[in-house]
Amino acid sequence: GFQVFECPSDADTTVVKVAIDIAKSKNVTVYSDDTDVLCLLAHHFLHLPALKSIYLSNMTRQKNQARNCYSISEIVSQDKLKTVLPYLLFAHAFTGCDTTSAIHKVGKTTIFRKLENSKALRSIADIFNEEYQTPEQIGAATVIFFEALHSPKYSLPEIRKRKYEDMILSSRSNIDPAILPPSPRAAFYHGLR
C-alpha cells in the first residue's frame, strides 16, 4: 500500500514535490533531518496558501524519546521570521544544498541571521530575485554580497589578506585556506552556479 519514488540523485526536491502534491488534498508528514527540506517546504507553503497542514518530523531521535514534529504553517507564521522568509530560496541556494550546508564556513543559520539584521544584505539579495539579470550582474552581486557578509568596509582581496594574517599571527598549528572568504573570481562563479 506504499507508493515508492526513486530518486537517482538529490531527493530533496522530489520529497518536497510529493509532499506539496499530497498537501493539496490532505495533511502530510515528512520525515527528514535535512535543513534543505525544511527551507523548501516553508517556501512553498508560504506561496501556496490553499495547502492542508504539512508537518516535518525528524528521522533520528534519542532512545526512549519521541520524535520532534513541527508544523510548517506555525513556522512560517512566526513574526520573528517575517524578515527572512522572502530570502529562503536565496539562502538555500547560496549556502549550498546538502545537510552540512556552508560556503566558506558560512552556513544557513549565519546567512539567515545576517539577512535578518542587515537591510544592505537584503537589498543585495533582492537582485537575485529580479527578472532579466545578466550573468555579469549576478556574478557582480555575489562579490558584493560576500564583501558585505564578511566586512562592508573592505574588498574581498583585503578581507582574505586580513583573515590570512590573523591565522598566521594566531597560535593555530593548522592554517586552512578553505575558511577564508572566496577570491573575487570564485565568488563571481559561485553566484552563477
Side-chain angles (χ1 to χ4, degrees):
F2 290 96
Q3 192 173 7
V4 176
F5 296 87
E6 185 175 340
C7 302
S9 60
D10 190 19
D12 297 353
T13 54
T14 303
V15 168
V16 171
K17 182 183 179 313
V18 170
I20 295 296
D21 287 344
I22 293 170
K24 290 176 182 174
S25 60
K26 59 185 176 181
N27 296 341
V28 63
T29 300
V30 175
Y31 291 89
S32 175
D33 293 323
D34 198 329
T35 307
D36 297 326
V37 171
L38 171 61
C39 287
L40 292 170
L41 284 172
H43 169 78
H44 289 293
F45 194 88
L46 189 65
H47 292 91
L48 299 169
L51 295 176
K52 302 287 185 186
S53 293
I54 299 177
Y55 300 95
L56 181 66
S57 182
N58 59 324
M59 296 286 293
T60 57
R61 61 187 170 127
Q62 298 293 329
K63 191 174 183 175
N64 299 325
Q65 287 185 347
R67 285 188 166 90
N68 294 323
C69 191
Y70 307 95
S71 166
I72 300 300
S73 67
E74 288 178 17
I75 290 171
V76 299
S77 66
Q78 291 182 28
D79 284 337
K80 66 181 181 177
L81 297 178
K82 295 289 186 210
T83 307
V84 295
L85 284 174
Y87 302 97
L88 276 172
L89 290 186
F90 168 77
H92 169 73
F94 194 86
T95 57
C97 305
D98 56 35
T99 306
T100 56
S101 302
I103 178 71
H104 299 278
K105 300 290 185 184
V106 177
K108 283 183 179 26
T109 305
T110 302
I111 289 282
F112 283 128
R113 188 175 56 253
K114 290 195 176 219
L115 282 166
E116 180 180 29
N117 297 322
S118 172
K119 187 175 181 179
L121 279 176
R122 290 193 302 272
S123 67
I124 298 166
D126 286 335
I127 294 169
F128 291 84
N129 290 329
E130 293 174 8
E131 290 189 46
Y132 309 116
Q133 293 292 328
T134 66
E136 289 75 24
Q137 290 168 316
I138 292 295
T142 307
V143 172
I144 294 166
F145 189 84
F146 268 116
E147 289 171 346
L149 190 63
H150 290 283
S151 174
K153 296 179 184 178
Y154 303 106
S155 67
L156 275 179
E158 292 170 317
I159 296 166
R160 288 172 56 83
K161 180 180 181 284
R162 287 171 179 271
K163 290 199 177 209
Y164 182 73
E165 288 170 349
D166 289 345
M167 274 193 259
I168 289 181
L169 294 174
S170 72
S171 59
R172 289 179 152 214
S173 60
N174 184 8
I175 295 174
D176 183 6
I179 65 174
L180 295 173
S183 68
R185 201 73 187 146
F188 182 92
Y189 283 107
H190 176 77
L192 299 185
R193 164 182 80 76

